[in-house]
Amino acid sequence: MESVYEKLQRCERSLRQKTDFVPQAALVLGSGLGDYGERIRVVDTVDYHEIDGFPVSTVPGHAGRFLFGYVGGLPVVCMQGRVHYYEGYDMPDVVLPIRLMRLLGAEDLFLTNAAGGIRQGMPAGSLMLLTGQIASLVPSPLRGPNIDELGTRFPDMSRIYDTDLQRIARKAAVSLGIDLWEGTYLQLSGPQYETPQEVAMCRLLGADAVGMSTACEAVAARHMGMRVLGISCITNLASGISPVPLSHAEVQETADRVSAQFAALVTEILTQLGRQE
Ligand code: HPA
């Protein structure tokens, strides 16, 4: 049977037949940044379908493709659509795209997502810089034989979100006049939204926001030594905090409302990053 690493190499070979672009940073677009591709000076596009072995998302509205191009002077690869654990993929498939972008050359990973807000006083529509995370409630993407070519068996996770990148993000937010919240993100498997009791548990564990992605991707990225930055769009107050039942429509509506501000922040961060290279 093909190993996780062999499959990753198959994807790399297939993708390399379509582009020779070498990105410095990788960007994963969550809900609310679906249109962000318009802000990238795109030089190459590759549909996930075109990549031999690549896991393709089943969620409607999660168009799946890589965009290759520039934000400011920074060469980036951007994932328009990610795959989620709740779709039925095993964790190695969920993080395969992250590993693939590292193999293409990306050293920094910028993760974005939509999340439910738990932190007291943080309203829906806020942007939250991830300063920490709890991934232990979903399986580790590193489970199974270690892929020595990517990283060590027992990688350190004590500074999972890079402090230099966080500093850049804070500065970018100040320069744009954006209130950037900060906190710990907790990943659950989904796809159901949480019960109020589960949200109470998340709060007890120290979470400020809850979602269904990102933490596993950050773990895989740190395993490979990438610098990781994460920002959540708080699309709704989490279950039990919100006075109304949760719906995907509400999540999408808030994500759309905040998208221009979110996009401006992402661009400013990437532009600053490009100046440092
Ligand atoms: N919970 C989990 N995932 C989410 C939420 C939520 O409340 N909002 C957006 N993604």
Side-chain angles (χ1 to χ4, degrees), residues 10-267:
R10 176 154 64 98
C11 288
E12 185 192 11
R13 279 195 302 275
S14 173
L15 185 52
R16 272 296 173 226
Q17 284 170 8
K18 293 169 178 74
T19 180
D20 56 7
F21 193 90
V22 177
Q24 171 66 38
L27 172 64
V28 180
L29 301 178
S31 315
L33 285 176
D35 296 336
Y36 189 75
E38 291 164 13
R39 310 225 179 187
I40 300 173
R41 188 154 57 80
V42 175
V43 298
D44 257 330
T45 302
V46 179
D47 269 20
Y48 296 158
H49 293 279
E50 297 177 66
I51 306 166
D52 186 25
F54 196 89
V56 178
S57 176
T58 59
V59 183
H62 283 72
R65 56 184 184 162
F66 283 118
L67 306 177
F68 298 90
Y70 296 86
V71 176
L74 187 73
V76 298
V77 53
C78 170
M79 286 186 74
Q80 211 167 35
R82 53 152 68 90
V83 288
H84 298 86
Y85 183 63
Y86 61 71
E87 292 175 68
Y89 294 103
D90 290 333
M91 274 299 179
D93 274 337
V94 175
V95 303
L96 182 146
I98 306 295
R99 288 172 162 165
L100 183 55
M101 294 191 289
R102 174 74 194 101
L103 293 189
L104 296 181
E107 292 174 6
D108 296 333
L109 174 65
F110 190 169
L111 295 166
T112 67
N113 62 36
I118 297 176
R119 188 184 174 128
Q120 184 111 34
M122 181 168 66
S126 302
L127 297 176
M128 189 186 95
L129 177 68
L130 275 52
T131 53
Q133 72 174 34
I134 297 168
S136 349
L137 299 176
V138 291
S140 171
L142 309 184
R143 180 172 174 271
N146 186 52
I147 305 174
D148 296 330
E149 291 85 350
L150 300 183
T152 62
R153 172 75 291 187
F154 302 109
D156 176 59
M157 294 285 148
S158 50
R159 286 199 193 88
I160 187 151
Y161 291 101
D162 187 80
T163 47
D164 291 334
L165 295 182
Q166 287 180 49
R167 200 171 309 126
I168 293 174
R170 288 188 193 103
K171 249 177 74 180
V174 168
S175 77
L176 294 170
I178 293 172
D179 261 339
L180 187 58
W181 293 75
E182 299 193 8
T184 296
Y185 177 90
L186 183 150
Q187 180 177 1
L188 293 175
S189 76
Q192 75 281 11
Y193 290 119
E194 301 71 32
T195 62
Q197 295 72 33
E198 285 161 339
V199 170
M201 172 192 77
C202 294
R203 181 188 282 122
L204 267 178
L205 295 178
D208 299 296
V210 59
M212 306 173 192
S213 66
T214 302
C216 58
E217 296 163 324
V219 167
R222 280 307 297 151
H223 178 234
M224 299 182 290
M226 296 177 90
R227 298 196 301 173
V228 185
L229 178 70
I231 297 183
S232 289
C233 174
I234 305 300
T235 50
N236 57 283
L237 299 181
S239 167
I241 304 173
S242 169
V244 293
L246 269 54
S247 71
H248 186 59
E250 180 196 2
V251 166
Q252 202 56 56
E253 211 175 280
T254 310
D256 292 345
R257 174 162 63 81
V258 183
S259 68
Q261 194 185 47
F262 201 176
L265 181 60
V266 169
T267 296

